[in-house]
Amino acid sequence: MAGMFSPFRQRLRLLISRLAILLVLCLSLGLTACSTASTGITGNYVEDTVAVADSLLATIALAAEDPARGEAETQARSLSSGYVARYRPRGDVNGLASFTTMQTAINSLAGHYTNYPNRPLPDALKERLTKELNKAEISVARGA
């Protein structure tokens, strides 16, 4: 009699495992959609480029001893990641001068935050990033 229920148990286990996988996929899709919205990236390339550049300029302008610096750097990382993830795959955007300039600035800033997480930005890097971000804003306004 116990052997009679064996195929039933196997099918039940298979069904439960498939439901668990489906639940995980639905949750990850839902969380991904929510995280994209929380980055502040709207999908409008010009507006997003200006907003990200302004945010990064404000972050790098903070003094090393400013208590808000840590949170601002965390937000800058999140915003930068969302921006690059949104626009790098888009062929109509990723070849523009404004995007390559933004990507260069973002990579430089991310590299500093990764390699020197507790150190303030060096003045030379601040100056270069400021020039690049301003250049990207000008380029995107011209449509380049």
Side-chain angles (χ1 to χ4, degrees):
M1 183 114 175
M4 214 160 89
F5 291 110
S6 182
F8 176 73
R9 286 185 181 154
Q10 289 174 344
R11 288 184 185 192
L12 183 60
R13 285 185 193 140
L14 182 64
L15 179 63
I16 290 172
S17 66
R18 286 184 178 173
L19 286 173
I21 290 171
L22 181 62
L23 179 63
V24 168
L25 289 174
C26 287
L27 285 174
S28 65
L29 179 62
L31 292 175
T32 303
C34 292
S35 68
T36 301
S38 69
T39 62
I41 303 300
T42 65
N44 181 315
Y45 175 69
V46 175
E47 290 176 10
D48 288 344
T49 300
V50 171
V52 171
D54 286 344
S55 177
L56 295 179
L57 285 167
T59 300
I60 64 175
L62 291 174
E65 61 277 351
D66 192 321
R69 189 177 123 224
E71 178 61 28
E73 288 178 0
T74 301
Q75 288 178 347
R77 285 178 149 197
S78 175
L79 189 61
S80 298
S81 296
Y83 177 84
V84 172
R86 177 78 177 228
Y87 294 111
R88 183 185 292 150
R90 287 186 42 188
D92 62 324
V93 168
N94 69 14
L96 296 175
S98 56
F99 180 77
T100 56
T101 304
M102 281 292 290
Q103 189 169 359
T104 300
I106 288 170
N107 287 341
S108 297
L109 189 58
H112 176 80
Y113 288 159
T114 299
N115 294 317
Y116 310 105
N118 298 321
R119 293 186 189 170
L121 288 171
D123 290 337
L125 181 57
K126 273 186 188 180
E127 188 177 319
R128 192 182 101 214
L129 290 172
T130 300
K131 286 180 184 177
E132 287 176 350
L133 293 168
N134 287 326
K135 181 180 174 183
E137 284 185 315
I138 291 168
S139 295
V140 77
R142 287 190 326 220

